[in-house]
Amino acid sequence: MAAWQVISGGVTAPKGYRASGIVAGMKPSGLPDLALIVSDVEAIAAGVFTTSYVRAACVDYCRQRLEAKAAARAILCNSGQANAGTGSQGWDDAIASAQAVAQALGCEADAVLLASTGVIGQRIKMEQLQAGVPKVVAQLSETGSDQAASAIMTTDLVPKVCALETQVGDRPVRMGGIAKGSGMIHPNMATMLSFITCDATVSPHIWQEMLGRAVDKSFNQITVDGDTSTNDCVIALANGQSRTPAITAMNAEAETLEAMLTEVCMILAKAIVRDGEGATCLVEVTVSGASSDEAARKIARTIAGSSLVKSAIFGRDPNWGRIAAAAGRAGVPFSQDDLRISLGDTLLLDYGQPLPFDRAAASAYLTAAAESSDPDANTVQINVGVGSGTGHGVAWGCDLSYDYVKINAEYTT
C-alpha cells in the first residue's frame, strides 16, 4: 500500500501556495500564455536543468539564482517564445521579467525564478508580458493550479497536474506538481517544464539531492523523439508551512518525502509521454538482471527511444528483433544468451532462443492498447531480462506516428 494518497489541487494543494494563469497575448493562438506560482513565505528551492550547451536565458538565470541562494518566492513562466538563442537581449528580458514580478509582489527580484517555452530563437514579447504581470498577480488563487497548468502548454493536448499527501511524524504533508511537454522529449532532459510545490521543511542540500534522484528515475527516463531542448527545467519549492519537524538528514521521514517526490515526478513524466506529439499509446520498458540500476535504466532508455521500436509499435508489429537490437547497442555489456523479451504476457525470446508465438494475438495486444482510453490499458508493456544481476530500471516512451511529422513540420508555420 502506498504511503501517500492522491488529492486534488495541483501546485496549490500544499499549504501556503497560490497560482494563476492568464492570456497575456504572447501566443498567436490567443490561448493562456503566462503562469505564476507564489509561496506566501520564502521557500527552499531546488532545480534540475537541461544539459544542452545551447540554453535559454531563463535556465542560466535560474542556475545563477539558485547557486547564490537556494530559496525563492515565485516562479513565472511564459509560453509562446522560448527566449533561447536570443543573445544578450534575451538575458536582459529575463532580468526585466523577474523585476516586473518582484515589483508586483513586493519582494526582491532574486526571489523570482523564471521559465519559458515556445519557439527557439524568439524573444519574449516583453510589452505583453509586462502588461500581463499585474493581471497574473491579481488573479493568484489557492485554487489556481489548473489555470497555471494550462498557461504553460504549447503543443500539449492536455494539462499535466497531480498532488499527493502523506504523513511526516503526526502531521500531513502535501506535494503538488504541474508539467508541460509533448515533443522534443529525451533524457537530459527534454522540452519539458515541471514545477513542484511542497509544504514540508527541508534543508536546501537535502531537497536538491532528493530532486536530483527523483528526476533521474522519472523525467530522465522518458523519450518521445530523441531530441533534447534548450529550456528544460524542474523546479521544486518547499515552504515549511505544514509545520512538520525540519528534515536535515536522510532518515525515515526523509525517505518518505523523497518517495512521494519521486512519485509526483513519475506521474508527471508519464503524462508527458502519454501526450507525446502524435502518440497513440504509452510504452513502458522494464529491464531486469543488469549489473546495476543505472545499467538497467540505460538499456530501458535505449529501447524506449529507438525509432524502429517506436515505429513497429505504431504499425502494431510485434518485431522483437528491434527490441533486441536496441538493447544490444545501449553500451551495457551482457550475454545475448541471457536475453529474454516479453511483449505484454507473450514471451518472444527466452535466454537467447526465439520462441514460436501467436503473431496475430501479439499484434492485437498493440492495437488494443492504442485504441484504449483507459490509462492502464493504453500502455504497451515491454519486459527485458539481460542476466541475473540485481539491476532494475524502467523507461517510458510512446509510438512514432505519421502525425508526429505533420505536427513538427508545421510547428512554426
Side-chain angles (χ1 to χ4, degrees):
M1 183 176 179
W4 51 77
Q5 60 178 339
V6 177
I7 58 174
S8 61
V11 291
T12 53
K15 291 182 179 179
Y17 292 97
R18 294 171 293 152
S20 57
I22 66 165
V23 176
M26 290 178 286
K27 279 181 182 173
S29 64
L31 293 171
D33 51 17
L34 190 63
L36 183 64
I37 301 168
V38 174
S39 173
D40 292 342
V41 299
E42 187 174 78
I44 297 302
V48 179
F49 303 94
T50 180
T51 60
S52 174
Y53 289 105
V54 179
R55 299 179 301 273
C58 56
V59 170
D60 289 337
Y61 170 89
C62 286
R63 279 177 167 162
Q64 288 188 18
R65 290 290 184 262
L66 292 177
E67 285 173 3
K69 184 180 181 182
R73 281 281 314 281
I75 304 169
L76 178 75
C77 179
N78 73 281
S79 59
Q81 299 86 45
N83 200 24
T86 50
S88 60
Q89 289 180 320
W91 178 257
D92 292 342
D93 292 342
I95 297 297
S97 299
Q99 290 173 340
V101 174
Q103 183 176 359
L105 288 176
C107 68
E108 296 297 320
D110 64 4
V112 180
L113 299 176
L114 303 173
S116 299
T117 182
V119 179
I120 295 170
Q122 292 188 3
R123 290 174 58 192
I124 299 170
K125 294 181 178 179
M126 289 304 295
E127 182 179 347
Q128 289 88 337
L129 182 141
Q130 290 179 322
V133 164
K135 298 175 183 176
V136 79
V137 169
Q139 292 192 26
L140 284 168
S141 165
E142 293 179 353
T143 58
S145 180
D146 287 348
Q147 288 71 35
S150 294
I152 66 175
M153 293 165 56
T154 50
T155 59
D156 307 58
L157 297 179
V158 295
K160 289 87 178 171
V161 181
C162 76
L164 302 176
E165 180 180 299
T166 192
Q167 294 287 127
V168 173
D170 59 351
R171 296 184 66 86
V173 167
R174 292 183 171 186
M175 191 178 297
I178 61 174
K180 68 84 52 182
S182 186
M184 289 183 81
I185 303 295
H186 198 59
N188 298 319
M189 288 182 294
T191 305
M192 51 142 292
L193 305 176
S194 181
F195 310 123
I196 297 167
T197 59
C198 180
D199 52 19
T201 303
V202 194
S203 294
H205 73 284
I206 295 292
W207 190 230
Q208 180 65 53
E209 289 171 1
M210 285 181 177
L211 183 64
R213 289 190 291 266
V215 167
D216 279 344
K217 295 176 183 176
S218 57
F219 295 114
N220 275 342
Q221 287 295 110
I222 62 174
T223 181
V224 168
D225 49 20
D227 274 298
T228 296
S229 188
T230 55
N231 291 56
D232 322 330
C233 70
V234 180
I235 297 172
L237 304 179
N239 68 4
Q241 293 302 287
S242 64
R243 308 300 181 191
T244 51
I247 294 174
T248 59
M250 288 306 297
N251 52 27
E253 288 77 15
E255 290 175 0
T256 297
L257 190 67
E258 182 172 339
M260 187 164 71
L261 176 60
T262 301
E263 182 69 10
V264 166
C265 289
M266 283 185 173
I267 290 170
L268 294 173
K270 287 191 280 187
I272 288 172
V273 179
R274 198 180 297 281
D275 194 27
E277 290 170 345
T280 68
C281 60
L282 178 73
V283 180
E284 183 172 275
V285 181
T286 302
V287 174
S288 60
S291 58
S292 67
D293 287 349
E294 179 48 41
R297 288 199 294 264
K298 188 174 182 181
I299 296 171
R301 286 196 303 268
T302 305
I303 296 169
S306 165
S307 295
L308 289 176
V309 172
K310 292 154 65 67
S311 298
I313 292 171
F314 176 68
R316 320 310 175 211
D317 178 11
N319 186 344
W320 62 262
R322 294 182 177 182
I323 300 171
R329 66 174 172 83
V332 175
F334 66 86
S335 172
Q336 62 181 333
D337 292 336
D338 291 329
L339 188 61
R340 307 179 80 237
I341 298 173
S342 295
L343 180 65
D345 293 330
T346 302
L347 184 62
L348 309 174
L349 182 73
D350 192 23
Y351 292 103
Q353 296 297 316
L355 299 179
F357 67 95
D358 187 334
R359 181 170 293 273
S363 180
Y365 167 72
L366 297 174
T367 300
E371 294 177 350
S372 177
S373 58
D374 183 306
D376 292 327
N378 185 235
T379 301
V380 170
Q381 300 282 350
I382 296 174
N383 291 284
V384 177
V386 294
S388 57
T390 60
H392 180 273
V394 185
W396 298 273
C398 60
D399 58 345
L400 185 60
S401 73
Y402 309 133
D403 284 343
Y404 174 83
V405 176
K406 179 177 174 61
I407 290 166
N408 284 281
E410 300 174 352
Y411 179 57
T412 61
T413 57

